[in-house]
Structure formats: C-alpha cells, structure tokens
Amino acid sequence: MKLAILGGGGFRVPLVYRALGETSPIREVVLHDVAPERLAAIQAVLEQTAGGPPVRATTDLDDALRDARFVFSAIRVDGLAGRTVDERVALSCGVLGQETTGPGGIAYGLRTVPVALRVAERVAAVAPDAWVINFTNPAGMITEAMQRVLGERVVGICDSPIGLVKRAARALGLEGGERVVDYVGLNHLGWLRGLRVDGVDRLPDLLADDAALASIEEVRLVGADWVRAIGALPNEYLYYFYRNREAVAAIGAADSTRGEYLLAQQERFYADTAADPAGALERWTRVREERDASYMAESREASGAGERAAEDVAGGGYQQVAIELMTALSGGPPRTMILDVRNGTAVPGLPADAVVEVPCLVGPHGVTPLSTNPLPGAMLGLLQQVKAVEQDTIEAAVTRSTTLALRAFAQHPLVDSVGVAKQLLDGYRERLPGIAEVLR
C-alpha cells in the first residue's frame, strides 16, 4: 500500500513517518515537494529513523500520486515567508495576525485554494481510488474546496479537538469506560459540550471543579468563569475570539510573530542539514522540541495560562489522528473520530455542503458524520458567520472575484470595519504574489 505525502519537505513530516511504525499497512512512502533542498533534508531525517517503510522523494506530482492508496496533503503555498505576511499585514491594520483565524486565514486560503484544486484534479486523474487526508490549513476551508473535485474522499484532520478531549478526561481522572464525545464546530472553532462515560455526562462535574478546570490549558486561556458561562470547553483557537484585544496586543508586542519565529528556526535547520546530512535526525529532534514548547507562547503569557503541560508536549498530535483514520479506512476496527467532513444534516443550521468538525464513525465503509444536538444561538451564529466567510473565500479564489474577497474580509467577526477590510485586501495583494495572481 502506497502513501504519498504532499508537502513532503515540511518540517513535521517525520512525525507522520514515525507514527507509521512497523505494523502499518503502508509499504512505500513517497515524499513530494516543489523544493528539492527541503525534500533532501527531510529524507535524510527519515532515513535515520528506525522502523519505517521505504521512502523515496520526487518533485513530480503525478509520480508521487500514481497508484497511491492514501494521500496526505500538507502543502504550504508561499511557505513560512507567506505566513509572516499573513500575520504582519493584519497586525498593521490593528487586527489579529494569526495563521488560520481571522484575516490571515482568509489570505492563506485565497492563495491555497487554487493550488489545492489542481492537486485534487491530479488525484482524480492518476489515483481516483485514493483517500485524501488533508492537513493543509485552513483545514476546513481547503477540505471543502477539494471536495468540489473529489467529493467525500477528502477528509480534513486537526489535533486540537482530540487534545481538548484528552485534557478533559485527564482532569476528571478517567482511565477507562466507554466515552461518547459531544463536540461540534468548524476547524479551529468548536466546543466540547459533553463527555459521557458509561452513559453519564461528566462535563458538569468538570465545570464545577475549580482545580480540575485549572489543569486544562484552554480554560486557563479564556478563564474558568467564561467557560462556566457558556457551559462548554472551547477549542484553543476560540481564545482569539473570546480574548481578542488581549491576543492582538500580545502578538503585536512580541519580538516576532509565530511565523517569523518558525521561519528563522527552520531556515537554520534546513541550511544546517544541507551542510551536515549525517546529523539530520538529532538536529530535527532538538528543533522540534523547541517548536512544541513555544506553541501559542504569547497567548499563554498574556492570559496567565502558564507553561504547556508535559503531557501535552509529549502527546501524539495530528499525525496520530491521520494514522488512526488511515488504519480504520484500511480495514482496521471501526472507531469514532472528530474529523472535518461534509455536513449533510449533522449540524442543524449550517449548509449541507459546508465542511464541519464533528464526531464521525470511520471504518472500511468510509466516514459517516454523526448527528449533533442543536447549538445555542450565540454559538450557531458564530459558526454561520465564519462559514459564510470561508465559502466566500473559496468562491473568490475560484472565480477570481475581488468583490467576494472583500466581502470575506469585511464580514469576518474579527474585522471591525469595511475600511479595514479594504486595507487588508490591498495589503495582501501588494505583498503576496499568489493573491495578486488570483485576484488580478
């Protein structure tokens, strides 16, 4: 069984490879990237990693895809340099500068959707039976765009929801028992509303326990009183909505944005690895530990959330979600997973074709989203507004519509003015060739 990893020169690819292990049904891994020097560095890391399947690298997309059973899509159009522009243009306009939430996510989507659609077309042409597991951010938006070509054989993944569930279970001391998770939202915008164990919802117990709540990073980010007020545990990215002023101030006051930090860190890694391929794995491990420990650092400092828990730094992330999904689709035991899939009727109040993030039953049959209970007005309204922005962004990229792009920026809840939206659009078109090409 062949696995193609698009964006195969990406820094986090070794996490996926290590998660495959010796028992994986994958017998060949093909890395694809448009940057040969990045491919060479990551291939060196993988070759020094014990226990995985054979690996080869290519810059030919069709070669990578042909006869693949699974495709992991983890591309980053314009690289980390583009991410720094996403962040800085927004901050220059006084609004949130973040990779996927707010105007930065819109800009990222505008230049990524056309590339993702071209990838989907090549998958349809040379690997029509493949499952595409989408890592590429903004994950919900890009998954929805690719489904225009490939339908429901594209599934988006994120590790934020399962991380939240694990932290909630750990806070309650739950070691076993059958769990039913009530989680609903969009990618990077959702809530854990219930955690039933052996038929009993334990979330009320958690909300009533000060010490247990304080152990959960998402609660420390937004505040225990607010979590109790909404009666649910929010995804970590809701910090940017619930504490927006603090987030903008903290990110703006930092010496560098997250993108700038990662760009400098990874430029050193790739340059050093080109000079010394023999030390690739040791170097990658050290850099990864630094990266993980610094995740959302400015937000944790501004909110008083403190350092990340050791369990969260060490725990499996999105790569584990991807491997579990692949295993279930390949004939492993059916399981319930939180995934980004076509809504249908799973979330009342959202369009049928919208990609939502909900629990799904996964098995050899495919992926089936499970029905969710209706959302209260405030939560549903926020989802509807952000989903409308995502769909405008996709349509703007497909039709090259500046009008729709402007509407996407202006109607995002974290952009407070049509005038600011115009500044954002002008700034991104000026500084990002990919957007200027799409909206020419």
Side-chain angles (χ1 to χ4, degrees):
M1 192 177 293
K2 175 180 173 180
L3 167 64
I5 302 180
L6 311 185
F11 183 79
R12 293 191 293 180
V13 166
L15 293 171
V16 175
Y17 185 76
R18 285 168 36 168
L20 288 172
E22 296 180 350
T23 61
S24 167
I26 297 299
R27 294 294 172 259
E28 179 187 14
V29 175
V30 180
L31 308 180
H32 171 271
D33 207 296
V34 297
E37 68 283 359
R38 292 171 64 89
L39 272 178
I42 295 304
Q43 187 170 14
V45 175
L46 302 192
E47 289 172 348
Q48 294 166 29
T49 302
V55 180
R56 68 181 179 89
T58 179
T59 57
D60 184 320
L61 179 60
D62 281 9
D63 176 36
L65 294 174
R66 190 169 291 110
D67 299 325
R69 180 71 173 84
F70 289 94
V71 177
F72 288 179
S73 181
I75 62 176
R76 181 179 286 279
V77 178
D78 288 343
L80 284 171
R83 176 176 176 171
T84 67
V85 177
D86 294 339
E87 296 164 337
R88 283 298 177 191
V89 168
L91 289 170
S92 73
C93 295
V95 295
L96 181 71
Q98 207 277 332
E99 177 189 21
T100 60
T101 301
I106 297 171
Y108 193 9
L110 282 171
R111 65 181 188 275
T112 303
V113 164
V115 178
L117 288 173
R118 288 196 292 273
V119 168
E121 290 165 357
R122 297 318 304 157
V123 172
V126 303
D129 296 327
W131 282 95
V132 176
I133 299 177
N134 179 53
F135 298 63
T136 301
N137 279 322
M141 186 192 302
I142 301 306
T143 300
E144 188 167 327
M146 295 183 78
Q147 285 189 353
R148 291 186 172 204
V149 178
L150 297 170
E152 296 178 14
R153 293 189 76 82
V154 183
V155 181
I157 64 167
C158 184
D159 60 350
S160 289
I162 189 59
L164 175 58
V165 172
K166 287 179 178 178
R167 285 185 280 277
R170 190 167 65 229
L172 286 164
L174 300 176
E175 300 297 332
E178 183 180 353
R179 300 178 189 174
V180 177
V181 174
D182 179 2
Y183 182 95
V184 62
L186 309 178
N187 180 240
H188 290 182
L189 183 62
W191 300 267
L192 178 62
R193 301 185 300 168
L195 183 58
R196 303 184 72 85
V197 179
D198 297 329
V200 178
D201 186 5
R202 297 295 306 278
L203 188 63
D205 297 338
L206 180 55
L207 294 175
D209 188 327
D210 289 344
L213 275 183
S215 70
I216 299 173
E217 182 168 328
E218 290 85 348
V219 176
R220 298 197 303 272
L221 282 169
V222 303
D225 289 346
W226 180 245
V227 168
R228 290 190 176 107
I230 62 174
L233 298 182
N235 182 292
E236 60 197 340
Y237 286 83
L238 273 158
Y239 167 79
Y240 297 119
F241 291 85
Y242 292 149
R243 301 284 295 273
N244 180 251
R245 291 193 179 192
E246 295 91 334
V248 173
I251 294 172
D255 292 336
S256 63
T257 66
R258 178 66 172 171
E260 288 165 347
Y261 169 82
L262 293 176
L263 177 62
Q265 182 193 60
Q266 291 188 26
E267 282 183 339
R268 289 194 300 272
F269 165 78
Y270 286 105
D272 291 348
T273 302
D276 174 28
L281 177 59
E282 180 182 358
R283 184 179 302 108
W284 177 85
T285 301
R286 182 178 66 253
V287 174
R288 180 186 64 82
E289 290 172 351
E290 294 170 357
R291 174 192 177 118
D292 288 349
S294 63
Y295 178 66
M296 288 186 79
E298 76 289 325
S299 301
R300 288 186 278 105
E301 182 177 354
S303 63
E307 297 298 317
R308 298 188 73 193
E311 299 93 332
D312 294 333
V313 175
Y318 77 110
Q319 70 278 4
Q320 198 62 44
V321 180
I323 300 306
E324 290 175 2
L325 172 58
M326 183 174 66
T327 300
L329 290 171
S330 299
R335 59 188 306 145
T336 300
M337 303 181 68
I338 301 172
L339 301 168
D340 292 282
V341 296
R342 185 180 185 275
N343 180 36
T345 60
V347 183
L350 291 179
D353 63 348
V355 164
V356 296
E357 194 166 81
V358 294
C360 302
L361 180 63
V362 185
H365 73 284
V367 180
T368 303
L370 303 178
S371 296
T372 63
N373 294 321
L375 284 157
M379 291 181 179
L380 178 59
L382 182 56
L383 293 185
Q384 288 173 328
Q385 188 172 2
V386 173
K387 177 49 65 176
V389 168
E390 290 184 354
Q391 293 189 326
D392 275 352
T393 303
I394 294 170
E395 199 62 27
V398 170
T399 63
R400 301 186 170 212
S401 170
T402 301
T403 299
L404 285 177
L406 175 62
R407 192 167 79 180
F409 283 115
Q411 293 188 160
H412 197 285
L414 299 184
V415 177
D416 55 4
S417 161
V418 174
V420 171
K422 290 179 178 177
Q423 293 175 30
L424 288 164
L425 181 56
D426 290 343
Y428 287 126
R429 291 176 72 184
E430 179 181 342
R431 296 188 58 187
L432 289 168
I435 293 181
E437 173 66 21
V438 169
L439 302 177
R440 57 186 178 184

